[in-house]
Amino acid sequence: MATNEVDSTLLKLESACSDLRTLLQSSAQMGKALEEMENKFDYIDESLSTAAKRVAPLQSLAMAAKALETRINRAVSPALDLLHSFKLSESFQHKLIELSDKLSIEKNPRKRLKKLLKYVQCVDQLTEAINLIGRDSEPVIQKLQEVVEFLSRTKATDRYQMERLKEALSTLRALYASEVDAMKFDGLLDEALLNLQDEFEIMLQQMKHQNIGEQQADEEADQQVPVVSDLGTEMQVQILKRIAETLAANDCLDICIDIFVKARYRRAAKALMRLNPDYLRTYTPEEIDGMEWESLETAISLWIQHFELALTTVFVSEKKLCKQVLGGLPEVLIWLECFVKIADKIMAVFFRFGEGVARSNREPQKLFKLLEMFDSLEKLKLEFTEIFEGESGADICNRFRELEKLLVHASSKVFWEFGLQIEGTSDGFAPPQDGSVPKLVRYAVNYLKYLTTETYSAPMAKVLRTEQIWNAGILSKPETDESLLKDAISNIMEALQRHIESKSSSYKDKILPHIFVMNTYWYIYMRSRNTELGNLLGEQYMKQKYKSVAEESAYMYQWQSWGPLVRLFEKEESEEGDTKVTAAFVRGKLEAFLKCFDEITQRHAGGYSIPDADLRAQLRGATVELVVPVYSEFLNTHSALLRGKSYVSPESLQGLVGQVFNGTDRSGNGRLKRRDFKDKLPGRNSVSVEGELKNLRRSRSKSIDL
């Protein structure tokens, strides 16, 4: 059994050895095949090396050709574009000449504007073409120079062609150095720009402010707000804008601005000259002081109207045109500077007149015109700052504020000095010899009445408030406008009272002071009540300060003037038992009464005056009630003793008393002459004082009914 296993194992080993011999034979064959393949690869490698050596020169030539082509193309393409720009420039120049000829012969305004627009467009195209030439010439020359140097270095062309290339490059460089600048500054483009400057100026001069003089007349009639109109049509504005942009693009911005400012200044000035502002030639304080008041008053009124018209109409239109024409320029705010230059000289003329008025003598009547000027500036302040906006308008706005300050200072000084002038006239001027109302009182009352009207009270209060802030500081708590004005007016009224008291004490006649005070205070009360002045001071204030004083003076006048006449009949009669003596005594009393009455009438006719008709009528009635009943009672009591005697009847006496208060005056020849006391100022009021005076009568005398 062991032998069988060994045999089996040997068989397996024998079979394995046979396989190994077969594998060895196969390996020997593969090695031979690999050796043959190696021999073939060596042959192929040797062939490739030989081919590479033969192809290498051709490859270098191809690479050199490619590099040359690249350099030539990089230089030729821009050069061709440059030549195209030269051709375009030449065509645009021919087109400009053609358009210029057509423009010169065109008469129709609208068609001419269209041709002018085409002319501007052609100038822009020519400018662009020349700019392209100027921009591209140097890079093109540089690239051509590089090509020439490359060809020269690589010897890629023959000597003849190289000479031609160098000559062409030299010619191009010389052309660039001389002709391009000439095209910009000395050629047809320069001539076209000069033509555009002329057209620019002509068009600006043609844009007029329409109907400025007529518009002012319409405003005075209708009181309408001025209408701001466009200065030119849409096409005109468009062409002006294009011309400005074209000039700016060709380094003519300064010339463009200079033309615009001068042309529009002249046009704006001519528009305002149609208003005939000759008064603006007089502007120094000394010259203004030398003007007649009526002329100065008219001049100030015109100044207010023209200042507003210039600002809200002329300058608004000019600013709009500036923005439309110059607003598209690269310098963003250049249009604002141009507008300020246009307005500056004109505004300076208005400012210097206003400053001259504010610095002139501070006469009382100037206050109202100063307030009108101040009020007009206050109303225009917001619009003024909007029109002259930004840093460009800062100087004009500062001068506007300085003028306002001058007007505030001048107005307050005139007002306060008016009160001082009233008190200052207490000495050196005698009061009216007939006890009438002094002219100063009439002037002052009507002055204050006028000042407290709606037109002047608000600006006057604002002036006082501004002055108070200046004096006390901005952090102070100012009073209300009404309170400020009331206190200021009260100060003037108190000064007027002191003036009246001073004048009344200078009379030598004991009755005239009462007539004077009665007339004056009654005048103040009557002229002030139911007016803005009376409403401001208050009815209680007016009654206490003026009405009560006038009533007191009326009572004293009647008691001292007519009281002695009445008291003649109050004396006791002597020797009542003797009829003849009593009759003589009665006749003596009657004669004394008539003599005293005649003296009183003569004093009234020659020396006493009661200008107010209502006051005279009420005094006449009160005096008749005082004198006639006493006289009538005396006649009735002694009628038996006076029987057969001629005497003045009570009815005649009443008529004679009435004549005393009819405003009559006894002239030197003995005739009665009617005096007509008329108030030259408006605002007369009529009230009944009889009831008030009756109350006073009951408290003082049963025999006086005033």
Side-chain angles (χ1 to χ4, degrees):
M1 187 170 178
T3 303
N4 292 334
E5 290 179 354
V6 171
D7 291 338
S8 176
T9 302
L10 289 174
L11 288 172
K12 290 180 180 178
L13 286 172
E14 185 177 356
S15 176
C17 288
S18 178
D19 292 337
L20 286 172
R21 282 193 295 270
T22 303
L23 180 63
L24 286 172
Q25 291 175 357
S26 299
S27 296
Q29 293 175 358
M30 185 179 294
K32 188 176 181 180
L34 288 173
E35 185 177 356
E36 291 177 357
M37 288 181 66
E38 183 178 0
N39 292 333
K40 290 180 179 180
F41 278 125
D42 290 339
Y43 177 77
I44 292 171
D45 183 55
E46 185 179 355
S47 298
L48 288 173
S49 297
T50 304
K53 290 178 181 179
R54 294 175 179 176
V55 171
L58 296 176
Q59 188 177 8
S60 298
L61 289 174
M63 292 176 64
K66 185 66 176 177
L68 181 60
E69 181 184 5
T70 301
R71 288 178 179 273
I72 292 174
N73 287 338
R74 192 166 57 187
V76 169
S77 295
L80 292 175
D81 292 338
L82 182 61
L83 291 175
H84 180 68
S85 296
F86 273 107
K87 291 179 180 179
L88 282 177
S89 172
E90 186 177 2
S91 66
F92 290 143
Q93 291 183 41
H94 289 303
K95 187 177 179 181
L96 268 181
I97 295 172
E98 181 182 351
L99 287 172
S100 179
D101 293 338
K102 291 180 179 179
L103 194 62
S104 62
I105 62 174
E106 183 59 63
K107 301 301 181 182
N108 185 285
R110 186 169 183 82
K111 291 182 179 179
R112 194 175 190 281
L113 286 176
K114 292 181 178 180
K115 285 183 172 60
L116 181 59
L117 181 58
K118 292 181 180 179
Y119 187 83
V120 176
Q121 291 171 345
C122 188
V123 172
D124 290 339
Q125 292 170 337
L126 177 59
T127 301
E128 185 178 359
I130 293 175
N131 288 338
L132 283 174
I133 292 171
R135 184 192 68 188
D136 296 341
S137 292
E138 190 169 356
V140 167
I141 292 172
Q142 182 64 32
K143 291 175 182 179
L144 289 174
Q145 177 70 30
E146 292 174 359
V147 170
V148 171
E149 290 176 354
F150 180 80
L151 291 174
S152 177
R153 186 172 61 252
T154 59
K155 297 181 180 180
T157 185
D158 58 35
R159 183 178 178 182
Y160 176 72
Q161 289 179 333
M162 282 299 301
E163 290 298 330
R164 288 184 60 191
L165 286 173
K166 289 180 180 180
E167 184 180 353
L169 180 62
S170 177
T171 302
L172 184 61
R173 186 180 286 112
L175 180 66
Y176 169 72
S178 59
E179 295 298 325
V180 172
D181 286 343
M183 291 172 68
K184 281 186 177 181
F185 306 114
D186 296 324
L188 191 60
L189 176 62
D190 184 65
E191 183 180 346
L193 292 175
L194 291 175
N195 290 337
L196 287 183
Q197 292 172 20
D198 294 338
E199 294 289 343
F200 192 64
E201 184 174 7
I202 291 171
M203 289 185 66
L204 289 171
Q205 287 281 13
Q206 289 174 345
M207 291 181 171
K208 301 179 180 179
H209 294 271
Q210 301 296 327
N211 304 322
I212 290 294
E214 294 80 354
Q215 187 182 62
Q216 185 193 25
D218 294 340
E219 289 169 22
E220 293 174 355
D222 303 334
Q223 296 297 316
Q224 294 178 348
V225 178
V227 177
V228 179
S229 58
D230 292 335
L231 293 175
T233 64
E234 185 177 352
M235 178 173 285
Q236 286 177 317
V237 172
Q238 179 188 359
I239 293 174
L240 285 172
K241 179 180 174 66
R242 289 291 301 272
I243 293 176
E245 292 172 350
T246 300
L247 293 175
N250 286 275
D251 298 327
C252 297
L253 179 60
D254 292 341
I255 298 174
C256 171
I257 291 172
D258 186 62
I259 292 173
F260 189 95
V261 171
K262 288 181 179 179
R264 291 317 306 165
Y265 167 74
R266 286 194 294 267
R267 184 49 60 196
K270 285 182 179 180
L272 293 173
M273 286 301 293
R274 294 204 294 268
L275 302 174
N276 299 321
D278 293 335
Y279 63 91
L280 293 175
R281 301 179 187 274
T282 305
Y283 56 87
T284 65
E286 296 76 17
E287 291 174 332
I288 289 174
D289 289 336
M291 294 178 66
E292 295 290 336
W293 169 244
E294 291 77 9
S295 300
L296 178 58
E297 190 176 23
T298 302
I300 294 174
S301 298
L302 290 174
W303 180 89
I304 293 171
Q305 296 174 16
H306 295 170
F307 189 96
E308 180 180 2
L309 183 66
L311 183 68
T312 59
T313 302
V314 176
F315 291 149
V316 168
S317 299
E318 290 294 341
K319 183 179 180 181
K320 183 178 180 181
L321 182 64
C322 283
K323 187 173 183 179
Q324 289 174 329
V325 175
L326 306 177
L329 298 180
E331 292 79 357
V332 179
L333 297 180
I334 193 69
W335 68 272
L336 266 179
E337 295 177 8
C338 291
F339 165 66
V340 171
K341 288 179 182 179
I342 293 169
D344 184 60
K345 291 182 180 180
I346 298 174
M347 290 306 304
V349 175
F350 281 105
F351 282 141
R352 73 183 184 185
F353 178 84
E355 292 163 356
V357 172
R359 291 191 173 102
S360 62
N361 288 339
R362 300 184 180 101
E363 299 170 350
Q365 67 270 20
K366 281 186 182 176
L367 176 61
F368 302 103
K369 305 312 292 184
L370 290 170
L371 290 176
E372 288 178 13
M373 294 172 71
F374 172 73
D375 189 46
S376 69
L377 293 185
E378 278 293 294
K379 292 176 180 177
L380 293 172
K381 181 185 292 185
L382 180 60
E383 189 170 3
F384 192 94
T385 54
E386 289 177 352
I387 292 174
F388 296 100
E389 59 183 311
E391 186 178 352
S392 303
D395 290 340
I396 290 183
C397 289
N398 287 337
R399 195 163 182 185
F400 180 89
R401 286 190 290 270
E402 287 300 319
L403 177 57
E404 272 201 311
K405 290 179 182 178
L406 284 175
L407 291 173
V408 168
H409 181 74
S411 300
S412 62
K413 286 292 183 182
V414 171
F415 179 78
W416 295 120
E417 288 179 8
F418 178 62
L420 296 176
Q421 289 173 0
I422 290 175
E423 290 198 72
T425 56
S426 298
D427 300 326
F429 294 93
Q433 295 302 308
D434 57 359
S436 59
V437 181
K439 291 181 179 179
L440 177 61
V441 174
R442 293 177 182 271
Y443 182 85
V445 170
N446 287 277
Y447 187 91
L448 295 178
K449 280 175 60 180
Y450 202 45
L451 183 61
T452 53
T453 58
E454 184 179 358
T455 303
Y456 299 105
S457 59
M460 186 71 240
K462 191 161 190 177
V463 165
L464 295 172
R465 186 175 68 252
T466 304
E467 185 189 37
Q468 185 187 57
I469 292 174
W470 287 351
N471 295 332
I474 195 170
L475 298 179
S476 62
K477 295 181 179 180
E479 303 175 44
T480 62
D481 288 358
E482 183 177 355
S483 178
L484 276 172
L485 188 60
K486 181 178 180 180
D487 292 344
I489 296 293
S490 297
N491 289 334
I492 303 295
M493 296 294 285
E494 289 171 5
L496 194 59
Q497 284 180 270
R498 291 191 291 272
H499 172 80
I500 295 170
E501 292 169 3
S502 174
K503 293 299 181 183
S504 65
S505 62
S506 63
Y507 284 108
K508 295 180 180 179
D509 187 303
K510 64 179 182 179
I511 298 175
L512 271 174
H514 303 302
I515 295 177
F516 174 74
V517 173
M518 175 187 67
N519 282 332
T520 305
Y521 278 74
W522 190 252
Y523 177 88
I524 295 174
Y525 176 72
M526 291 292 292
R527 294 301 179 273
S528 302
R529 71 189 301 269
N530 297 329
T531 65
E532 290 88 347
L533 175 60
N535 295 335
L536 178 67
L537 297 175
E539 182 64 21
Q540 188 64 30
Y541 176 92
M542 296 303 299
K543 285 183 177 180
Q544 180 182 354
K545 292 285 187 178
Y546 303 105
K547 185 179 181 182
S548 61
V549 177
E551 291 170 347
E552 177 74 20
S553 298
Y555 172 81
M556 294 303 297
Y557 151 75
Q558 192 176 38
W559 181 251
Q560 292 192 15
S561 180
W562 298 96
L565 187 65
V566 175
R567 288 192 292 273
L568 285 174
F569 291 139
E570 293 178 354
K571 294 180 181 180
E572 295 182 357
E573 299 177 8
S574 60
E575 300 190 21
E576 296 179 359
D578 191 336
T579 304
K580 291 183 179 180
V581 173
T582 302
F585 183 76
V586 169
R587 287 195 299 272
K589 274 193 149 188
L590 188 59
E591 290 175 1
F593 177 89
L594 296 174
K595 181 179 180 182
C596 183
F597 181 84
D598 188 57
E599 291 175 355
I600 293 172
T601 56
Q602 288 183 13
R603 283 199 301 270
H604 278 76
Y608 299 161
S609 172
I610 304 174
D612 189 90
D614 294 332
L615 183 59
R616 285 201 312 272
Q618 293 171 63
L619 285 173
R620 178 173 61 244
T623 304
V624 166
E625 291 183 9
L626 172 67
V627 175
V628 174
V630 175
Y631 179 75
S632 180
E633 183 181 356
F634 179 82
L635 291 181
N636 291 334
T637 302
H638 303 287
S639 59
L641 297 174
L642 295 173
R643 187 177 295 117
K645 304 293 183 179
S646 61
Y647 55 85
V648 178
S649 66
E651 292 76 12
S652 298
L653 181 63
Q654 181 174 346
L656 292 173
V657 171
Q659 288 183 9
V660 172
F661 294 99
N662 280 339
T664 57
D665 185 16
R666 188 178 299 278
S667 61
N669 57 13
R671 294 180 300 171
L672 291 177
K673 183 178 179 181
R674 179 67 181 266
R675 260 179 157 183
D676 188 12
F677 293 92
K678 291 185 178 179
D679 193 345
K680 296 181 180 180
L681 298 170
R684 291 188 55 132
N685 296 302
S686 176
V687 299
S688 175
V689 298
E690 190 172 354
E692 298 288 343
L693 294 180
K694 281 183 178 179
N695 295 333
L696 181 64
R697 176 206 66 197
R698 294 190 187 99
S699 65
R700 300 205 174 188
S701 174
K702 293 181 180 180
S703 61
I704 298 178
D705 187 11
L706 179 57

